[in-house]
Amino acid sequence: MKLQLLYNEYINIKFKRGLQSVQTDCFEYSLLEDDSAELFFVNRNNESFIEWMYELQPRDANYTMNPDWEPELLAFFEHLDVYDELILYYLLFTINKTMSIVKINPFNAMNDFMKNYCFFQLAQLTDAARLTDEQRHQLRDFFFFFYLYTHPVNEETLYSFSFSGQDLVHTKTNINMEHYFSIYHDYYSENLDKYRDKLFIAPHEIDACRNLTMELLRSIEGKAPKLSMPPEEGLEVVLQLINDVDYLLHIYSENKTTLFGIIRDFLSDNRSNSYRDHCFSTLLQNYVSYILYFKFDEIYDLVDYFKSTPLWCKMIINKIFTDAIFIQKIMKQNQIDIAEYKHVIEFFDEEARRIYLK
C-alpha cells in the first residue's frame, strides 16, 4: 500500500483540484450523495474501507451492571476486558476514518482541519532533526491528543493511549496497537464463516484493510516514510516549508523575516483556491506548533513585521487563533494570559475576542 499516492488522491478530491485520479492498490474514492467521499474496494461500490467493521463494534459494557461476556480476542490478550475492547475498537475506527472526506459545515470545519493537520504532522516528526528528542516527544503527544480530540472520541478513549518509544500502546494493558490490529484482522479473516451474518467481504479484502490500517498507524507512530503535500504551481516555497520542518526551523533561526516575507508574498498573490488556502492555514499553524509552542513571545516579531499592513496583520493573527485551537492549548500549558499581549489582541476580530477574551 503506497500511502502517499492515496494521500495525494485524498487531497485531490477533498480540495476539488480536478487532477487525473491515480489508481491505488486496492481502494478508490467514491463520492456519496451528501458530497462526502469514502474509500471503496476497487471495482466494488457496495463495501467501503470504513464500513467493513461496523457490525463488529463490541457491546458497550458501560450500560450493563455486570457484563457477562468476554472480549473477542481474550485468548490472545489475557489482560483485555470488555471496557478496553470497546476503546480499542474506537481507536481502530478513528484511524480508519482518517482518509474519509466529510462534507464541511461551520460546525465541523475546525475539527476536520485539525485532525487532518495532526495526522500530517505526526508523519513528519521523526525526520525533524532540528528538534531535540524531548521536543519531538512533546509535539507527538500534543498532535496525537488533538488527532483524537477532534475526531472526536469520548474522554475515556482520549486518555487511554501513550507512546512507548515509537510504539503506540494501550496504557492500562500495555497492549501494542500494531500487534493488536494485526491479530484483530487475522482473527476475523481466519474465522470468517463464524461471522458470515456480519461480514460480507473476503479474506483478501480484510488483508487489504489491514494493510491500509497499518500504514495509517505507522504514519501516526512516525515509522513510515513521511507524507508530503502534493505540488501546485505558485506554492513551491510554501510547500517546501510545510513538507520539511527542518527547513522551516532553519530559515527561521537564520533570519525570521525570511518566513514572514514568504507569508507576505503569498498574500500579495491574489490567486485563491481551497488547496492554496489550506496550505496557507497549515503554514501558519506550523508557525504555532514549531515556533510559538516553544517560545510564545516570538509572536511579537510577527506583529511587528506586519503591523504596517494592518489588514494583513489582522488576517494572519485571526487565522492563527481561530483556524485551530492549538494556540489555546499552548497558552493554557504555559499559563499565558493573552490579555497581556496588547499588541496582539488589538488585531483580534469578533470571533477571536469571543473565544479568548471572555
Side-chain angles (χ1 to χ4, degrees):
M1 177 67 64
K2 295 180 180 178
L3 190 59
Q4 182 66 60
L5 291 178
L6 196 60
Y7 189 74
N8 290 349
E9 188 69 358
Y10 168 83
I11 294 295
N12 182 28
I13 295 174
K14 185 178 182 70
F15 297 107
K16 298 178 172 60
R17 301 184 72 206
L19 302 179
Q20 179 69 39
S21 293
V22 177
Q23 180 66 55
T24 53
D25 295 341
C26 303
F27 299 98
E28 59 188 355
Y29 277 102
S30 180
L31 295 176
L32 305 180
E33 292 181 358
D34 64 354
D35 204 29
S36 63
E38 292 287 356
L39 285 169
F40 285 79
F41 293 108
V42 172
N43 299 322
R44 186 176 171 192
N45 60 7
N46 63 344
E47 191 74 34
S48 74
F49 170 57
I50 193 67
E51 287 176 336
W52 85 271
M53 35 155 325
Y54 276 170
E55 296 298 324
L56 300 177
Q57 179 170 338
R59 284 186 286 170
D60 192 340
N62 294 294
Y63 292 101
T64 304
M65 185 68 70
N66 295 300
D68 60 356
W69 65 92
E70 294 180 340
E72 207 68 41
L73 301 183
L74 183 61
F76 304 94
F77 303 97
E78 61 181 15
H79 300 301
L80 191 69
D81 64 29
V82 291
Y83 302 97
D84 302 326
E85 180 184 43
L86 185 60
I87 288 171
L88 300 189
Y89 176 88
Y90 287 151
L91 178 67
L92 176 58
F93 182 81
T94 298
I95 290 173
N96 286 356
K97 193 70 176 173
T98 301
M99 303 302 287
S100 297
I101 298 171
V102 302
K103 182 177 182 179
I104 300 300
N105 59 56
F107 303 102
N108 70 1
M110 181 188 288
N111 275 7
D112 182 72
F113 170 75
M114 290 175 66
K115 182 177 180 182
N116 176 273
Y117 176 87
C118 288
F119 173 73
F120 185 79
Q121 297 311 317
L122 286 164
Q124 311 303 306
L125 280 174
T126 300
D127 288 346
R130 294 182 71 90
L131 295 172
T132 66
D133 288 344
E134 178 60 25
Q135 287 174 328
R136 278 195 296 272
H137 294 158
Q138 288 177 26
L139 285 173
R140 182 182 59 185
D141 290 343
F142 182 80
F143 292 139
F144 186 67
F145 172 86
F146 278 110
Y147 172 78
L148 294 180
Y149 178 84
T150 56
H151 173 69
V153 299
N154 60 28
E155 186 171 5
E156 190 174 17
T157 305
L158 182 62
Y159 295 104
S160 289
F161 301 94
S162 55
F163 288 93
S164 175
Q166 281 190 280
D167 297 333
L168 184 65
V169 300
H170 180 240
T171 308
K172 175 187 166 187
T173 61
N174 203 37
I175 291 174
N176 178 294
M177 295 317 304
E178 184 172 358
H179 180 53
Y180 181 84
F181 291 153
S182 180
I183 296 293
Y184 182 95
H185 288 82
D186 283 346
Y187 175 80
Y188 287 107
S189 179
E190 294 166 5
N191 294 276
L192 204 54
D193 288 342
K194 180 180 175 182
Y195 298 94
R196 272 300 175 194
D197 60 331
K198 295 182 177 181
L199 293 177
F200 305 97
I201 62 177
H204 75 275
E205 292 173 322
I206 294 179
D207 288 343
C209 290
R210 181 242 301 278
N211 291 340
L212 179 50
T213 295
M214 291 304 190
E215 282 298 301
L216 294 168
L217 175 62
R218 283 193 280 266
S219 286
I220 289 168
E221 294 177 320
K223 297 175 182 176
K226 71 175 184 178
L227 296 173
S228 295
M229 296 290 289
E232 175 149 322
E233 183 182 355
L235 279 182
E236 291 83 3
V237 178
V238 169
L239 287 169
Q240 186 178 7
L241 292 170
I242 290 172
N243 291 331
D244 188 344
V245 171
D246 277 345
Y247 181 61
L248 169 69
L249 294 172
H250 168 70
I251 68 164
Y252 193 83
S253 65
E254 291 291 314
N255 186 352
K256 63 190 69 175
T257 61
T258 303
L259 173 61
F260 301 153
I262 292 169
I263 295 173
R264 180 200 61 217
D265 291 344
F266 178 91
L267 294 174
S268 299
D269 187 342
N270 291 323
R271 288 180 292 176
S272 179
N273 60 49
S274 59
Y275 182 56
R276 289 174 63 85
D277 294 343
H278 174 76
C279 289
F280 187 57
S281 292
T282 298
L283 177 60
L284 292 182
Q285 293 306 320
N286 277 10
Y287 171 72
V288 172
S289 300
Y290 297 104
I291 307 298
L292 300 187
Y293 184 96
F294 300 108
K295 194 173 181 182
F296 190 83
D297 283 356
E298 292 287 308
I299 199 168
Y300 282 130
D301 295 321
L302 177 72
V303 171
D304 285 344
Y305 184 90
F306 283 102
K307 65 184 179 182
S308 61
T309 52
L311 290 179
W312 283 357
C313 193
K314 184 173 183 177
M315 190 268 281
I316 293 166
I317 290 298
N318 286 291
K319 285 185 71 63
I320 283 174
F321 280 84
T322 63
D323 277 358
I325 57 171
F326 301 131
I327 202 165
Q328 189 178 75
K329 179 78 167 178
I330 292 167
M331 291 190 299
K332 185 176 181 179
Q333 287 179 176
N334 294 285
Q335 299 181 316
I336 293 169
D337 182 0
I338 194 61
E340 298 178 359
Y341 288 71
K342 305 296 185 184
H343 296 307
V344 176
I345 63 175
E346 70 176 274
F347 292 100
F348 275 11
D349 61 14
E350 184 177 339
E351 177 68 5
R353 289 180 178 276
R354 181 188 66 80
I355 297 171
Y356 296 94
L357 300 177
K358 299 176 183 177

